[in-house]
Amino acid sequence: MLLARDPGISVVAEAADERQAVKRVAEYRPDVILLEAGLTELIQELDRSVPSPPATVVYGIDAMSPERLADLVRGNVRGVVHRDAANDDVVHAVHAVVDDGGFASPELTACLLQAVRAGCTPLGVDHRFRELLTERENGVLALLCQGLSNKAIAAALCVTEKTVKFHVSNVLGKSGVSTRAQLIAAMGSFTTPHGHSIGARGA
């Protein structure tokens, strides 16, 4: 019901169990799958059963080890939404994934950073890639690492969402990862060449 109220989202199918979900995905070929946190094993089944499975948003995440969360974002999961997040975060996550980005609730960024500190997210991002970024791209990176959506970044920088999408795409391309969640996990907390601290809220 929440997604169906959004004019930019079409709910094409629902599934009552794992087997039905695989069937629905194969039949309707959705752009995004919204999956409850207790059903994440379905992700591997979809990888085995469906050619080019759609991106996944996992919602309702609460108790999860940093290792498990890192495993999710290394796979086809492009959005992770905490159990206590606002309902709008689910909608924002779906839009972000459709826009070729990603979404991580601020409540989960600390867990992602723990995975980095524990060495369980070897995504291979060289922090020196920031030297390749323009000043505006570094500004977008700072806000992106706070878990902000494209819309929120656009409001903060007084630019259009289309401009933000362009900059986010450039940042991800130069970093070598494909999603926001992966970038947050890989970057951790660090200091930019200009001396501004970049980190994730909740860390």
Side-chain angles (χ1 to χ4, degrees), residues 27-38:
E27 181 179 0
Y28 290 94
R29 302 302 299 272
D31 296 313
V32 180
I33 304 168
L34 184 63
L35 190 65
E36 198 274 327

Side-chain angles (χ1 to χ4, degrees), residues 16 20 27 48 55 68 111 134 138 143 172 185 188 195 197 200:
Q20 192 178 71
E27 181 179 0
R48 290 191 297 265
R68 178 57 182 145
C111 188
T134 65
N138 267 301
L143 297 173
L172 292 174
S197 177

Side-chain angles (χ1 to χ4, degrees), residues 6-60:
D6 189 286
I9 297 175
S10 296
V11 179
V12 297
E14 298 179 48
D17 54 41
E18 291 89 340
R19 185 167 61 179
Q20 192 178 71
V22 173
K23 182 179 179 180
R24 292 285 190 270
V25 170
E27 181 179 0
Y28 290 94
R29 302 302 299 272
D31 296 313
V32 180
I33 304 168
L34 184 63
L35 190 65
E36 198 274 327
L39 300 175
T40 54
E41 291 183 1
L42 178 61
I43 297 169
Q44 294 181 346
E45 178 62 28
L46 289 170
D47 287 340
R48 290 191 297 265
S49 306
V50 180
S52 301
T56 302
V57 172
V58 177
Y59 73 96

Side-chain angles (χ1 to χ4, degrees), residues 40-98:
T40 54
E41 291 183 1
L42 178 61
I43 297 169
Q44 294 181 346
E45 178 62 28
L46 289 170
D47 287 340
R48 290 191 297 265
S49 306
V50 180
S52 301
T56 302
V57 172
V58 177
Y59 73 96
I61 297 175
D62 184 13
M64 182 175 288
S65 69
E67 294 85 355
R68 178 57 182 145
L69 188 57
D71 284 341
L72 288 181
V73 301
R74 275 200 293 266
N76 205 37
V77 173
R78 301 297 181 90
V80 286
V81 182
H82 192 265
R83 184 188 67 178
D84 296 331
N87 288 339
D88 285 348
D89 278 4
V90 175
V91 177
H92 292 158
V94 171
H95 279 295
V97 169
V98 171

